[in-house]
Amino acid sequence: MSFPPSSLDSSRRRWLAQAAATAGIAALPAALSLARAADPKTLRIGYQKSSTLTLFLKSRGVLEKALAPQRVAVQWHEFTSGLPLLEALNVGALDLSADVADAVPPFALAAGAKVTYYAIETPSPTAQAIVVRKDSPITAVAQLKGKKVAFAKGAGAHYLLLEALAQTGLSIRDIEPAYLNPADGRSAFENGAVAAWVVWDPFLAAVQRQSGARILVDGTRIAAYRRFYLAATPFAQQHPDVLQRVYDELQRAGDWVKKNPAAAADWHAPVLGLDAATVAAANERRSYAVRPVDAESLSEQQRIADAFTGAQILPRRVTVQDSPVWRPA
């Protein structure tokens, strides 16, 4: 079932579909294929299995309790990846998005999505990395020249690779890209079909712990790797009080995860299908510090957008500063 024609013009819908396909992104869940008029009594939130803080709020019924005095109910909708989540946000099928990787918003903005930045998690540069097998002779990024490297097209890992290559005087044309989702990327990596893999946590922690993968370089001084929370712009404008409550609870959830690492890993591990030790290793590298969107985070969004435009991954230049930003009280 498709979105109503009035909700998104055909050219943008075509481009979003193409972007989703090239980034290895699944289709929108059928349950969200019909947008509806905004209902201030129902808050619709999209999330992924990796949306740690939002999932914590969901599992504890925190938002249901916090919004009960305002008589606002909460609906939860799971997505497999970020771009279709933001597409649903744009067409009115969702009100809020849980965190998405820093490379995702520029794709939505390039397609004309009407979204508002409302929070970030502060940088977690070591939560994504370029890895090689433990017995690989490769010890520097420059040695990837002419080699096959796996990564998800249009993901934060893609941006990390672009910048890491640029710092050594190379470009994407100097390697052989293998555009693979995390599951296929790990298979190719472990089978020796690629020389390196660019990936993020918890996949990074899993391949380190389970296969002994060696980090060639992480995002330190290359890519900050912030996580962004977005809202449908009409919702952000009409219901700032609800957005404030969600923001406050996300901050509290982030504090709890960092102060209770063992309990947080035990809780999240079954959701991710990983052991608690692997989840704890991944969580240690994530800041989980929810803060207002600042000028530096938007500047890096612009750098990411420009890098993808220069690599001809985005079809047009995006001006991130034109996007609305909600600020907490």
Side-chain angles (χ1 to χ4, degrees):
M1 189 179 294
S2 60
F3 287 107
S6 60
S7 61
L8 189 64
D9 68 73
S10 59
S11 62
R12 278 190 277 162
R13 288 180 66 228
R14 283 196 301 273
W15 189 85
L16 275 168
Q18 292 166 358
T22 58
I25 293 170
L28 280 170
L32 289 182
S33 61
L34 288 179
R36 59 144 172 86
D39 179 0
K41 297 304 180 186
T42 304
L43 173 62
R44 302 160 301 166
I45 302 175
Y47 68 97
Q48 304 170 70
K49 280 188 172 64
S50 60
S51 303
T52 306
L53 303 187
T54 302
L55 269 174
F56 178 79
L57 299 183
K58 179 179 182 292
S59 69
R60 301 294 197 274
V62 171
L63 292 182
E64 286 83 352
K65 296 171 187 174
L67 295 172
Q70 296 167 259
R71 298 183 182 277
V72 175
V74 183
Q75 291 180 356
W76 303 92
H77 302 280
E78 183 176 339
F79 287 73
T80 57
S81 51
L83 190 58
L85 196 165
L86 295 193
E87 182 182 356
L89 202 67
N90 181 47
V91 301
L94 291 175
D95 302 310
L96 297 183
S97 162
D99 58 299
V100 295
D102 50 9
V104 175
F107 279 88
L109 296 176
K114 303 294 191 296
V115 294
T116 292
Y117 291 89
Y118 77 91
I120 58 169
E121 288 178 19
T122 57
S124 303
T126 61
Q128 57 178 355
I130 303 173
V131 297
V132 294
R133 288 180 296 281
K134 59 184 177 181
D135 59 350
S136 172
I138 296 173
T139 58
V141 173
Q143 293 173 297
L144 294 177
K145 185 174 183 179
K147 303 289 195 304
K148 184 178 288 188
V149 179
F151 57 95
K153 190 173 186 179
H158 190 165
Y159 175 67
L160 170 61
L161 178 62
L162 290 176
E163 293 301 295
L165 290 171
Q167 288 190 7
T168 63
L170 301 176
S171 76
I172 199 73
R173 292 182 293 276
D174 293 308
I175 65 162
E176 185 180 345
Y179 300 126
L180 299 172
N181 62 38
D184 293 337
R186 177 162 177 173
S187 177
F189 177 74
E190 292 180 335
N191 291 336
V194 297
W197 184 29
V198 196
V199 71
W200 58 93
D201 276 324
F203 307 108
L204 172 59
V207 77
Q208 283 183 279
R209 290 178 54 81
Q210 297 164 7
S211 300
R214 174 166 50 86
I215 291 180
L216 189 63
V217 65
D218 61 29
T220 303
R221 294 184 294 278
I222 301 175
Y225 193 57
R226 294 171 176 87
R227 304 287 295 186
F228 286 83
Y229 294 78
L230 296 101
T233 294
F235 183 88
Q237 293 172 340
Q238 296 165 16
H239 306 292
D241 54 335
V242 175
L243 205 52
Q244 180 72 55
R245 185 57 60 91
V246 173
Y247 177 88
D248 292 342
E249 298 299 346
L250 285 170
Q251 280 198 319
R252 293 188 184 98
D255 290 343
W256 182 87
V257 168
K258 296 307 283 187
K259 290 176 182 176
N260 301 274
D266 287 341
W267 156 73
H268 202 192
V271 178
L272 294 171
L274 295 169
D275 62 278
T278 296
V279 176
N283 283 350
E284 187 176 354
R285 290 189 284 233
R286 280 276 294 276
S287 75
Y288 290 122
V290 176
R291 298 291 182 268
V293 178
D294 57 14
E296 173 52 34
S297 63
L298 293 178
S299 293
E300 187 173 48
Q301 283 282 276
Q302 188 64 60
R303 292 193 293 273
I304 292 171
D306 291 345
F308 282 138
T309 303
Q312 298 183 324
I313 303 300
L314 286 180
R316 66 179 181 88
R317 188 177 189 277
V318 169
T319 304
V320 174
Q321 284 73 15
D322 290 344
S323 304
V325 176
W326 176 87
R327 310 259 182 212

